[in-house]
Amino acid sequence: MSERNPEAEGNLATQIAKLQPRLLRFALSLTHDREAAEDLAQETIARALASQWRFHPGTNLKAWLFRILRNIHLNVVRADGSHPRVVSIAELVAEPAGPRDHGTNPVEARVIERAELTQIASAFRTLPPVFAIPLYLTAVEDLSYAETALILGIPVGTVMSRVYRGRRLVISKLDGGSS
């Protein structure tokens, strides 16, 4: 690791630069503020370039960058003293559990088909971060549950649960629910 290869570092810098739009989208999903998202993505790229010797070729560069971005965001949130609001279990219940929860519900499919992208984005922005971030990484960035778990530092089962509940909350909001 002490040997530096300038050619490999240049290639990594190019790969990092190509992922900038995805970093910006992920940052926007965390901050909901364009300017803050741009700053967050820029800081992520700067830190990744400064620490590129820590990246292991052959591993997932996107996951490494997303992890850096998430950690920077968490540090900013901690420094600001702002914490995500506490969400009660009652607020999370989008609809009563029952046998229809097993499989695709035709009503849900119709709600999604009729909803405009702006409505979906608006419903997504109302999700608590604990559900929004895993849902974003799996649905938008097309990361696997395992990759998302690695980025967030949580078990795969927790990612699966949060993605499921996040989807249910979005569908509930699109269907006119108040949860």
Side-chain angles (χ1 to χ4, degrees), residues 1 4 6 10 14-15 17 38 40-41 53 68 71 81 101 103 107 118 120-121 126 140-141 146 148 151 154 172-173:
M1 283 205 189
R4 288 193 176 212
T14 303
Q15 292 174 25
E38 289 171 353
L40 186 56
W53 59 272
I68 292 170
N71 289 343
D101 287 337
V107 174
T118 55
I120 294 170
T126 65
V140 177
E141 291 300 331
T148 300
I151 291 168
I154 58 178
S172 174
K173 290 174 190 311

Side-chain angles (χ1 to χ4, degrees), residues 4-160:
R4 288 193 176 212
N5 182 346
E7 184 177 309
E9 288 178 2
N11 187 28
L12 184 62
T14 303
Q15 292 174 25
I16 290 171
K18 286 180 183 177
L19 289 171
Q20 191 271 343
R22 295 187 106 164
L23 291 170
L24 183 58
R25 285 194 306 263
F26 181 42
L28 194 55
S29 78
L30 294 172
T31 64
H32 303 291
D33 177 332
R34 183 77 179 176
E35 188 175 321
E38 289 171 353
D39 291 345
L40 186 56
Q42 183 176 359
E43 178 66 20
T44 300
I45 291 171
R47 288 195 189 180
L49 290 173
S51 301
Q52 59 185 307
W53 59 272
R54 291 183 177 180
F55 178 71
H56 300 285
T59 59
N60 190 334
L61 177 62
K62 184 170 60 170
W64 184 65
L65 292 170
F66 280 14
R67 181 75 179 228
I68 292 170
L69 190 144
R70 177 184 164 268
N71 289 343
I72 294 169
H73 174 70
L74 290 175
N75 290 340
V76 168
V77 168
R78 281 186 208 116
D80 289 346
S82 59
H83 302 284
R85 71 178 182 91
V86 176
V87 179
S88 73
I89 296 295
E91 288 178 284
L92 299 178
V93 178
E95 59 189 62
R100 65 185 211 167
D101 287 337
H102 303 293
T104 305
N105 183 333
V107 174
E108 290 175 0
R110 282 194 306 257
V111 168
I112 291 172
E113 288 170 14
R114 287 184 286 174
E116 293 182 26
L117 187 56
T118 55
Q119 291 172 315
I120 294 170
S122 177
F124 177 80
R125 283 191 290 274
T126 65
L127 288 178
V130 72
F131 300 117
I133 295 169
L135 183 58
Y136 176 85
L137 291 173
T138 57
V140 177
E141 291 300 331
D142 202 27
L143 295 175
S144 69
Y145 289 138
E147 291 170 321
T148 300
L150 181 67
I151 291 168
L152 299 178
I154 58 178
V156 174
T158 303
V159 170
M160 294 169 70

